Amino acid sequence: MKSIALAGNPNTGKTSLFNMLTKSYEYVGNWTGVTVEKKIGKLKSGDAELIDLPGIYSLNPLSKDEGISINYLMNESPSTIINIVDGSLLERNLNLTIQLLEYGKPLLIGLNMVDIAKSRGIRIDQKKLARLLGVPVVPIIARTGSGCDEILEQLGQSASSSTFQIDYGEIIEEAISEIDDRLDADLPYHHRWLAIQFLEGNHVVKDKLSAWIPEKDLNEMYNRTEKKIKDTGESHTLPSYIYKVRNERIKSIIGEAVYVESKSATNWTEKIDRVLLNRFLGIPLFLAVMYLVFQFTFDWLGSPISDQLDGFLSGPASDGLTWLLTFCGASSFIKSVVLEGIISGVGGVLVFVPQIFILFFFISWLEDSGYMARIALLMDRLMSSVGLNGKAFIPMIIGFGCNVPGIMAARTIEHPKERLLTILLSPLMSCSARLTVYALFAAAFFNSHQSLIVLSLYVLSIVTALLLAKLFSSTFLKHEDQSAFVIELPPYRVPQWRILLRSTWEKGKGFVRKAGTFIFGGSVVIWLLSYAGPSGFDVEMNQSFLAIIGNAIALLFDPIGFGNWQAGASLLTGFLAKEVVVSTMNIIYMTPDDTALQGVLGQYFTSLQAYSFMAFTLLYVPCLATVAVIKKETMSKKWTWFSIVYALVIAYVISLVIYQGGRLLGFH
Amino acid sequence: MTLSELEKGLQARIIDLSNISPLVRRRLLDLGILEGSIIRLIHRLPLRGAFALEVNHQEFGLRYAEAKRIEVEVV
Amino acid sequence: MIANLLIGILIFGYAGWTIMRFVRKSKQGKCAVCSLNKRCNSVCNDPQSQGPKTFA
């Protein structure tokens, strides 16, 4: 099957178009570096596959996500490339377009954001642009899908490569033909493209070239050419010379195909920024936004809906099931596994679906509005003082939803040590699975201040992460070399309902699916462990295998306030997925629903112990899926183990401080 | 003068980028920002925090430490 | 007691399958969720990010 690649600058709408052209849905947002992984989908017309690549500015990669795009172009062979171009930032975008033209595959330009350009008084003559570049140009609005049909139509026609070429001047052209001569004629690359990229300092291309030309010769050729360029006095380095020549050509293209009318439209983005990035209001406003999100998630909207759902599951739903089981003549064993195992375990987690969806809705809203990049900007000062980068705040906020995509989002951080630090600390972010534990305990012990208590845990997670960042970055992850922080601040836009709802659903469906699959399986196993014991089946809960396992580690938890086997068993199973903590508790305390469980918990925990337990659940070991991602992203067993061990240690220390300190202060 | 001394709302031309780190220079080039570009200061966060700047209708953020190393002249 | 046996097998069979699948998928990490995992040969084994390599 043909494969078609989507390439372009970051945040130009590649993934939006991808979602429109295929039947799939991938994650979109309004900041640089939403897509950090290549995505594949089948074209709606059915005859080709479409590959969505992470955004790049040029073919010479700086960060890990950019490397993925370049590696794709180097190692696979797309039959056509769709280059999405941001019409409002044409000059910058065309720099990549020209490199893609030189790549030599048939190219199709999707001209996006023409509306923004128009509002700035910029009018682009598409026909002229197409003629000057020698490739078709299709105007699109990726977010609404307009122009998709034309794209599909163009893709259906037989495409030929453009004949577009830039004359880089005698010195460079000489070097290009020298490389050309030394390469075999049957290589699957355009020699000219390889040569230009190499001379531009592209290390990925250089590595590739060194398979055919000895590295010594390559270096010699590079230095010789660079010296010649220096001697002309035109530029200090080869890359900047090539950039300059290319840029002159772009300017002349724009001069011919773009008309600028002076038009002073209101710049809403700047107006909004005047408030949101205000010297004094910026950070307080961000905190206020987060507080409002939690108010909605818990007090105002989420908890009332969850209570309704809880009532339904424990009332009509389980009554109906009991009746059905009795009708089928089920034995007490079957009844027990269904009602005390599955209903308690799965139901106990499912009731939090409303809260989780509401939280995801707001995270999606943050992502789509353009505020995300501003948060990174606001936080950079704080983050850089602990050896991190403002950009690391984006993975952290995504981590509030789920740590796995959060850790992957760290790919956009250019500096390897800052990236590693972000990966190691992201698991401390309180993900939605942990929310179930807070929701349960906060409702049981801190009913009148639920969102405040939960917010305090989120703050605890961030403060802990920052303190540890400082510790790590000033000891074993020390780096002297300058880090980079250049962040694009995209124009704000009003999120569309369609995109918001879709994005919320895509994030939340994993949680629902997990409840139906893994939590189901886990509940059955946990129930079985609580039902069986050394003396046989249907034993007293305290004599069950689960109690024996829990007791084995309970002693360890005594100093931090919850030395009972129930807590031990819940935390142990929670390593697989943190929602399981709630499932296990429901099963252990044999309560049909969370309201009843909240009552029972009061007999086993004091408020202080409950808070200590929540803090411990927040920080102790990343879940299994997160551990796997850390291993993949760091490619190191050592760092993976480190992330588990340090989390356990810090969780214990903090819970110890909370519990013993709280007791000293007279809490209980 | 340096970019860090630029007053809010004013425009300046970049004269010298050679003192900033190569990584940052490369990213600025990616955004089409080089010597000769006209830059405008939109915001400056407190405590030597980040700067919000604008070049060619595109907003971006930069650290104080980098802005201090960029030589500009007011236009 | 055919019904009991049937429900029992169904529940425990499904439970076992989901747990096995979960552990397997989790262990594979990102490439298991990536849609390219069958054909891709560049993401999963791409060279370690090469540090801040730039031109001056």
Side-chain angles (χ1 to χ4, degrees):
Chain A
M1 203 184 332
K2 277 204 306 188
S3 34
I4 296 160
L6 268 170
N9 277 199
N11 206 18
T12 49
K14 291 177 294 302
T15 306
S16 293
L17 185 72
F18 177 85
N19 289 341
M20 290 292 177
L21 289 178
T22 61
K23 287 193 186 89
S24 45
Y25 177 86
E26 295 294 348
Y27 186 30
V28 291
N30 185 13
W31 78 86
T32 295
V34 181
T35 307
V36 291
E37 182 80 276
K38 61 182 173 184
K39 308 280 162 94
I40 193 164
K42 211 169 166 207
L43 218 58
K44 268 179 184 159
S45 55
D47 49 356
E49 59 184 20
L50 191 64
I51 290 141
D52 184 23
L53 297 171
I56 44 176
Y57 296 103
S58 78
L59 294 181
N60 188 5
L62 266 191
S63 56
K64 180 110 178 152
D65 55 326
E66 293 175 324
I68 287 166
S69 291
I70 319 307
N71 277 317
Y72 173 82
L73 293 176
M74 289 300 295
N75 299 329
E76 330 259 323
S77 183
S79 60
T80 308
I81 296 174
I82 305 178
N83 175 212
I84 306 299
V85 166
D86 179 344
S88 67
L89 300 168
L90 201 56
E91 188 174 323
R92 183 188 97 188
N93 278 253
L94 285 181
N95 183 37
L96 177 69
T97 304
I98 289 179
Q99 295 183 46
L100 289 172
L101 284 169
E102 287 168 345
Y103 179 65
K105 287 278 155 58
L107 192 83
L108 169 62
I109 290 178
L111 191 62
N112 199 10
M113 318 226 182
V114 190
D115 43 341
I116 297 178
K118 208 183 254 169
S119 74
R120 290 182 190 152
I122 302 167
R123 202 164 58 76
I124 301 166
D125 185 336
Q126 288 132 20
K127 285 201 185 104
K128 222 174 215 172
L129 189 63
R131 210 186 59 232
L132 289 166
L133 295 171
V135 289
V137 174
V138 179
I140 55 169
I141 301 174
R143 271 165 75 78
T144 61
S146 113
C148 284
D149 294 340
E150 286 87 336
I151 294 256
L152 287 173
E153 197 181 306
Q154 284 286 349
L155 287 175
Q157 292 165 14
S158 62
S160 59
S161 308
S162 168
T163 52
F164 182 88
Q165 198 166 325
I166 290 181
D167 181 359
Y168 285 99
E170 207 179 321
I171 301 167
I172 302 284
E173 292 297 333
E174 201 175 288
I176 291 173
S177 54
E178 192 181 337
I179 294 169
D180 185 27
D181 289 344
R182 296 191 60 171
L183 292 175
D184 290 337
D186 56 353
L187 289 180
Y189 304 102
H190 257 233
H191 293 182
R192 188 179 168 80
W193 174 73
L194 286 176
I196 295 169
Q197 286 296 322
F198 162 67
L199 293 171
E200 224 181 329
N202 188 329
H203 55 91
V204 179
V205 170
K206 187 182 169 190
D207 287 348
K208 197 91 191 174
L209 272 181
S210 63
W212 305 298
I213 305 175
E215 196 168 343
K216 188 169 62 73
D217 294 9
L218 284 173
N219 289 337
E220 187 273 323
M221 209 185 301
Y222 188 94
N223 293 334
R224 175 158 41 86
T225 315
E226 184 155 66
K227 189 171 177 306
K228 279 192 213 160
I229 291 289
K230 259 188 197 159
D231 290 345
T232 63
E234 290 234 36
S235 226
H236 293 297
T237 63
L238 261 183
S240 62
Y241 175 75
I242 294 178
Y243 183 92
K244 221 169 95 185
V245 176
R246 199 178 274 151
N247 208 247
E248 272 161 26
R249 180 68 173 265
I250 292 170
K251 284 220 163 83
S252 90
I253 291 172
I254 287 179
E256 278 192 62
V258 176
Y259 307 94
V260 185
E261 303 143 18
S262 61
K263 191 174 169 186
S264 56
T266 327
N267 189 338
W268 285 106
T269 294
E270 256 194 71
K271 282 212 157 86
I272 297 170
D273 273 344
R274 213 167 283 166
V275 181
L276 292 181
L277 293 182
N278 182 284
R279 285 177 78 86
F280 306 107
L281 291 178
I283 290 179
L285 273 175
F286 166 64
L287 293 177
V289 167
M290 292 315 276
Y291 181 69
L292 279 181
V293 169
F294 291 121
Q295 277 290 339
F296 271 108
T297 309
F298 292 94
D299 291 350
W300 293 343
L301 208 57
S303 299
I305 305 176
S306 281
D307 288 346
Q308 297 270 325
L309 191 61
D310 195 21
F312 170 77
L313 282 176
S314 59
S318 60
D319 289 349
L321 216 54
T322 314
W323 178 84
L324 193 72
L325 286 173
T326 316
F327 179 78
C328 296
S331 66
S332 67
F333 176 81
I334 292 292
K335 272 188 181 166
S336 180
V337 66
V338 172
L339 298 173
E340 284 154 26
I342 297 166
I343 289 280
S344 299
V346 178
V349 168
L350 269 187
V351 294
F352 297 111
V353 162
Q355 269 127 330
I356 283 167
F357 271 75
I358 292 169
L359 182 69
F360 280 151
F361 177 83
F362 285 110
I363 291 181
S364 302
W365 186 83
L366 284 181
E367 287 170 351
D368 211 43
S369 63
Y371 190 40
M372 211 60 146
R374 271 77 182 181
I375 297 174
L377 187 78
L378 284 170
M379 291 298 162
D380 184 62
R381 180 70 192 82
L382 180 66
M383 300 292 268
S384 66
S385 69
V386 296
L388 273 172
N389 187 308
K391 280 188 194 168
F393 220 78
I394 294 177
M396 289 185 170
I397 290 187
I398 295 173
F400 285 161
C402 172
N403 292 165
V404 173
I407 286 169
M408 289 178 63
R411 288 180 178 185
T412 56
I413 295 170
E414 291 93 346
H415 198 287
K417 279 194 175 155
E418 285 181 349
R419 175 165 172 256
L420 178 61
L421 199 54
T422 310
I423 291 174
L424 290 177
L425 295 172
S426 285
L428 294 179
M429 293 303 111
S430 181
C431 68
S432 60
R434 280 169 253 192
L435 201 84
T436 58
V437 180
Y438 312 152
L440 179 70
F441 276 77
F445 295 96
F446 311 97
N447 201 3
S448 46
H449 306 289
Q450 280 193 51
S451 51
L452 209 61
I453 288 290
V454 176
L455 187 66
S456 77
L457 287 160
Y458 279 78
V459 172
L460 178 69
S461 73
I462 292 178
V463 171
T464 310
L466 294 182
L467 290 178
L468 286 177
K470 181 75 191 164
L471 179 70
F472 295 170
S473 67
S474 51
T475 52
F476 54 90
L477 278 176
K478 215 175 195 154
H479 62 83
E480 269 83 37
D481 46 333
Q482 277 287 320
S483 76
F485 178 74
V486 179
I487 191 164
E488 271 192 78
L489 303 172
Y492 286 107
R493 59 184 185 213
V494 182
Q496 291 174 345
W497 279 102
R498 187 179 54 81
I499 292 175
L500 276 187
L501 294 178
R502 186 75 202 256
S503 165
T504 307
W505 167 245
E506 290 294 328
K507 288 193 186 78
K509 84 175 178 198
F511 184 84
V512 177
R513 191 192 290 137
K514 207 155 100 192
T517 54
F518 174 66
I519 305 291
F520 182 99
S523 297
V524 170
V525 172
I526 291 160
W527 170 85
L528 199 63
L529 286 174
S530 74
Y531 188 78
S535 55
F537 284 109
D538 202 6
V539 295
E540 187 68 23
M541 183 74 80
N542 287 328
Q543 311 292 325
S544 67
F545 285 123
L546 196 61
I548 294 170
I549 299 169
N551 268 322
I553 56 167
L555 206 61
L556 284 174
F557 295 129
D558 208 36
I560 55 175
F562 36 92
N564 51 41
W565 71 262
Q566 289 92 336
S570 308
L571 289 170
L572 207 62
T573 51
F575 168 63
L576 297 171
K578 301 229 170 163
E579 307 93 308
V580 179
V581 172
V582 171
S583 299
T584 309
M585 288 204 150
N586 263 306
I587 295 169
I588 289 175
Y589 293 117
M590 285 202 280
T591 49
D593 61 87
D594 286 319
T595 319
L597 179 56
Q598 283 158 12
V600 176
L601 280 175
Q603 300 162 17
Y604 290 86
F605 289 86
T606 66
S607 300
L608 183 61
Q609 286 166 341
Y611 195 81
S612 170
F613 185 81
M614 286 195 279
F616 192 81
T617 315
L618 162 68
L619 302 170
Y620 91 112
V621 301
C623 74
L624 188 59
T626 308
V627 169
V629 169
I630 294 174
K631 185 153 174 263
K632 285 277 179 187
E633 294 288 294
T634 59
M635 289 190 259
S636 149
K637 272 209 175 95
K638 188 186 85 181
W639 288 120
T640 312
W641 277 107
F642 177 76
S643 72
I644 297 174
V645 173
Y646 94 78
L648 264 176
V649 172
I650 199 71
Y652 200 88
V653 170
I654 287 184
S655 291
L656 193 69
V657 170
I658 290 173
Y659 183 59
Q660 299 296 351
R663 284 214 314 187
L664 284 177
L665 291 174
F667 292 101
H668 54 84
Chain B
M1 68 186 283
T2 63
L3 182 58
S4 59
E5 294 159 358
L6 191 64
E7 261 176 66
K8 195 173 144 180
L10 286 188
Q11 282 195 328
R13 178 181 290 111
I14 298 176
I15 316 175
D16 188 6
L17 283 173
S18 60
N19 292 321
I20 53 175
S21 80
L23 206 63
V24 173
R25 189 162 47 229
R26 164 65 205 284
R27 268 289 176 253
L28 290 178
L29 195 67
D30 281 343
L31 299 180
I33 299 158
L34 59 172
E35 274 115 356
S37 300
I38 301 290
I39 195 163
R40 189 165 57 94
L41 182 77
I42 305 178
H43 280 287
R44 177 202 298 263
L45 292 170
L47 305 170
R48 302 199 160 172
F51 283 59
L53 301 152
E54 185 249 23
V55 169
N56 289 334
H57 296 295
Q58 114 185 286
E59 269 190 58
F60 67 99
L62 201 63
R63 274 190 183 152
Y64 174 83
E66 306 291 350
K68 214 172 62 180
R69 296 199 186 96
I70 297 177
E71 207 51 52
V72 297
E73 59 179 10
V74 178
V75 291
Chain C
M1 284 286 95
I2 300 280
N4 270 320
L5 203 65
L6 210 67
I7 300 174
I9 289 172
L10 220 63
I11 289 175
F12 285 96
Y14 179 67
W17 178 75
T18 56
I19 289 179
M20 267 182 36
R21 211 177 65 120
F22 176 80
V23 173
R24 209 176 50 225
K25 272 206 147 177
S26 291
K27 276 196 182 148
Q28 289 171 346
K30 71 172 184 193
C31 281
V33 286
C34 170
S35 45
L36 275 178
N37 64 22
K38 293 222 170 60
R39 274 153 300 170
C40 143
N41 49 30
S42 49
V43 181
C44 299
N45 41 18
D46 60 345
Q48 178 75 286
S49 173
Q50 309 212 357
K53 229 180 208 178
T54 44
F55 52 78

